[in-house]
Amino acid sequence: MARETAVPWLRALVPAEPGRVLVPASSGAQLSHASRVVSPGAVRWAVEVGQDVAERVAAEIPGHVGEGGLDVLRMGTESTILQLLMILAGEDTDGIATAESLGGVPDFVRRKVSLEEMLRGIALGHAVIAAAFLTECGRLGDGEQRPEQMRELSQRMFGYFDAFSTQMATSYREEQVRWEHSEAAGRFALVEDLLRGHEQPLDLVARRLRYDVTRTHVALIVWTTARTLDIDEPALHDAARALIRDLGCTQKLVLAADLGVVWAWVSPKDPVEEFAARVAALTPPRGIRVTVGSSGSGLAGFRASHEDAVAAYSLRTPVNGRREVTVYRDVDLLSLLLVDRPRALRFARAELGPLAVVDPPIDDLRRTLAAYLDEGGSPNAAALRLRVSRNTVTYRIRRVEEMLGRSVGERRLQLLAALMIFRECAG
C-alpha cells in the first residue's frame, strides 16, 4: 500500500540523455511495478543512473566486477535505485536491500572481496545515487519548498543507505561462514592453488577433488548468458554435466566459479579425432555457452587447458557463425593477437585506415575483404562464401584498394590480422 509521497516531483523524472539506448538489467516484473508506482520516465531515469553508478564503481573499485562483467553489477545498482524510488514515492516495500543486491553477496565472498572493499563500493555507489537525486530535486523541486524538499530527501535517502549497508554487511558475514565451511570452498581453493602453480601432493589432490590430475585433461567453461539474479545455478550445473556426458569422459570435475559461470575438466575416453567430433556436435540448451580448451596431460596440462578455455571465454567473436561452443584452437591466433588489446586495436586501425569504422557499407567491405583474403584472392570462392555475385566481390575489392591506396595483396597477413582484431574489439 502506498503512502502520500514527500517527494512530489518523482513522477517528472526522465533520462538526462533521452537518445541513449540502455537495456534494463532488472526483471520485467520489477520494472513494471516501479512504472506503476512512480512513472515509466522515472524507471528509464533509474536505468540510466544505474548504468552510470556501475561504471563509476567498476572504474574506481575493480573488485566489484566479477567474471559476469558490468551487467551483474548493474543489476544491483539499478534495483537499488528502483527500490529507493518506490520508497520515496511512499510505497511499502519488502525489506531494504533488494534480492538482486543480496544475490551478489555470495559472489563477493567466493572471489575473496573483503567486507571493507564491498562496503567501500556500496558507499561510493550511494554517493553517486544521492548526487543524482539531489540534482533532480534542484531541477524539478518547487522553488519555495525546495530547501525543505532537499532536507527531507537527504534524510530519507541516508536513512535508507544506512539500513542497506547494515543488511548487506550482515548477509556478507553469514555467507562467509557458510562458504568457509563448505566442501565446495575447499575444492575451489585447492584448484585455484593448482592453477597458480602451487605444488600439492598429487594423492591428496586426487582425494580432495575426486579427480586424477595426472591424466589427460580438457578444460571447459560453461556459462549462462542471462544477466539477472534469477539465474538458476542448479540448472546451469545440470546443463554442464549433461554436456560432459555427451562428450564421453572417464572422469570429470565441475566447480562453481562465479555467478552463472562453471569451470570443468574432463578426461576424454575417445581418441583425439573422435573427441573433437563430439565437441563439434555439442548442442547446449538455449542461453548456455561453452568454451573448450586444448588437450593436455598431467598437472601442467590441467593448467594449460584451463588457460586456453579462459582465453576463448574472453572473446566475443562467433566462430563459423556459432556462438554456443567455442574451441580454443579456432581462436588461438586471435587470442594471441589480443594479449595487449589497446595496442592491437591501434595496429588494426592504422592498418585498416578508412575501413576502421563501424558503418554498414564499410562493414560489408571488411567482410568481403576478409573472405577474399581467406580464399587466397579468389573472387569466385569469396562470392560463394558470402552468397553474393562475383561482380559484387570484384567491385568491393576495387573499392577497398581505392580506400587503402594500395593493393590488398600487399601486407596480406597484416590485413588479415587487423580484420580479426577490429571485428573482436570494435566490429
Side-chain angles (χ1 to χ4, degrees):
M1 180 181 295
R3 303 184 303 272
E4 183 178 354
T5 177
V7 190
W9 46 265
L10 287 179
R11 293 182 180 277
L13 286 169
V14 292
E17 300 178 48
R20 188 179 180 188
V21 179
L22 293 173
V23 178
S26 303
S27 67
Q30 186 181 26
L31 295 167
S32 297
H33 183 58
S35 293
R36 290 193 300 271
V37 172
V38 191
S39 72
V43 168
R44 292 194 299 273
W45 177 84
V47 172
E48 180 183 67
V49 175
Q51 173 78 23
D52 295 339
V53 174
E55 290 176 353
R56 175 81 178 275
V57 172
E60 297 192 20
I61 310 176
H64 271 250
V65 182
E67 288 188 15
L70 192 67
D71 285 340
V72 173
L73 179 58
R74 281 182 60 220
M75 286 186 282
T77 59
E78 185 179 299
S79 68
T80 297
I81 298 167
L82 290 171
Q83 183 88 327
L84 181 54
L85 270 176
M86 290 189 287
I87 289 173
L88 293 174
E91 179 77 356
D92 289 327
T93 60
D94 296 329
I96 298 297
T98 62
E100 287 82 359
S101 297
L102 291 169
V105 170
D107 182 51
F108 285 127
V109 173
R110 190 158 49 202
R111 292 190 293 111
K112 298 181 175 62
V113 176
S114 69
L115 174 60
E116 292 73 20
E117 186 174 10
M118 184 189 79
L119 291 175
R120 190 161 64 93
I122 289 172
L124 174 60
H126 287 170
V128 179
I129 292 170
F133 270 100
L134 291 171
T135 296
E136 293 302 319
C137 183
R139 186 175 69 88
L140 298 171
D142 181 84
E144 295 182 0
Q145 299 297 321
R146 189 176 296 135
E148 176 60 22
Q149 288 178 350
M150 295 190 83
R151 185 196 66 79
E152 174 72 10
L153 173 64
S154 298
Q155 184 177 28
R156 295 180 65 178
M157 273 197 306
F158 290 110
Y160 170 81
F161 292 153
D162 285 344
F164 180 100
S165 298
T166 299
Q167 190 174 352
M168 290 289 286
T170 299
S171 177
Y172 181 98
R173 294 186 184 98
E174 292 172 350
E175 179 62 27
Q176 191 173 43
V177 170
R178 282 194 296 270
W179 174 252
E180 288 174 351
H181 288 84
S182 72
E183 179 187 16
R187 298 175 79 205
F188 189 75
L190 176 56
V191 166
E192 283 192 312
D193 278 346
L194 294 175
L195 293 176
R196 292 190 190 104
H198 299 165
E199 298 300 326
Q200 300 277 356
L202 296 182
D203 57 341
L204 172 64
V205 170
R207 285 198 305 273
R208 291 186 62 189
L209 296 181
R210 298 189 292 278
Y211 184 88
D212 184 359
V213 295
T214 66
R215 295 163 65 180
T216 299
H217 318 282
V218 174
L220 300 90
I221 296 179
V222 184
W223 76 100
T224 173
T225 57
R227 291 307 179 200
T228 71
L229 288 175
D230 294 329
I231 289 171
D232 189 339
E233 292 281 357
L236 174 62
H237 281 253
D238 288 345
R241 292 188 175 93
L243 291 166
I244 289 169
R245 282 196 301 272
D246 291 341
L247 291 175
C249 304
T250 59
Q251 64 168 354
K252 66 180 183 295
L253 173 62
V254 181
L255 298 170
D258 205 341
L259 182 66
V261 181
V262 167
W263 290 352
W265 287 260
V266 300
S267 290
K269 67 179 181 181
D270 294 326
V272 173
E273 295 80 6
E274 292 182 30
F275 183 76
R278 286 179 177 268
V279 170
L282 283 179
T283 306
R286 183 176 181 180
I288 300 295
R289 302 286 186 265
V290 185
T291 59
V292 184
S294 51
S295 176
S297 298
L299 189 52
F302 181 88
R303 293 173 181 135
S305 186
H306 178 72
E307 289 174 0
D308 292 347
V310 170
Y313 173 74
S314 71
L315 303 176
R316 63 182 178 85
T317 298
V319 179
N320 298 326
R322 288 197 75 192
R323 290 185 179 275
E324 293 82 10
V325 180
T326 302
V327 179
Y328 175 71
R329 186 174 180 179
D330 293 333
V331 294
D332 50 3
L333 177 58
L334 177 59
S335 173
L336 293 170
L337 289 171
L338 292 173
V339 168
D340 184 342
R341 278 185 174 243
R343 196 163 164 231
L345 188 53
R346 286 200 304 273
F347 159 79
R349 284 177 169 149
E351 191 69 28
L352 295 174
L355 294 174
V357 293
V358 178
D359 179 67
I362 302 299
D363 296 344
D364 288 340
L365 293 180
R366 283 198 310 275
R367 280 192 292 270
T368 302
L369 175 59
Y372 181 80
L373 294 176
D374 278 342
E375 298 294 346
S378 167
N380 289 329
L384 285 172
R385 180 194 288 198
L386 297 171
R387 297 182 180 179
V388 298
S389 71
R390 182 185 188 282
N391 288 342
T392 297
V393 171
T394 302
Y395 167 77
R396 288 177 180 173
I397 294 302
R398 187 183 306 119
R399 179 75 181 114
V400 165
E401 290 181 333
E402 290 172 356
M403 294 176 72
L404 293 178
R406 69 174 195 271
S407 165
V408 296
E410 296 178 28
R411 294 175 61 85
R412 176 180 175 276
L413 290 177
Q414 288 88 340
L415 266 179
L416 275 170
L419 289 165
M420 292 171 65
I421 292 166
F422 191 80
R423 183 185 182 195
E424 170 66 24
C425 294

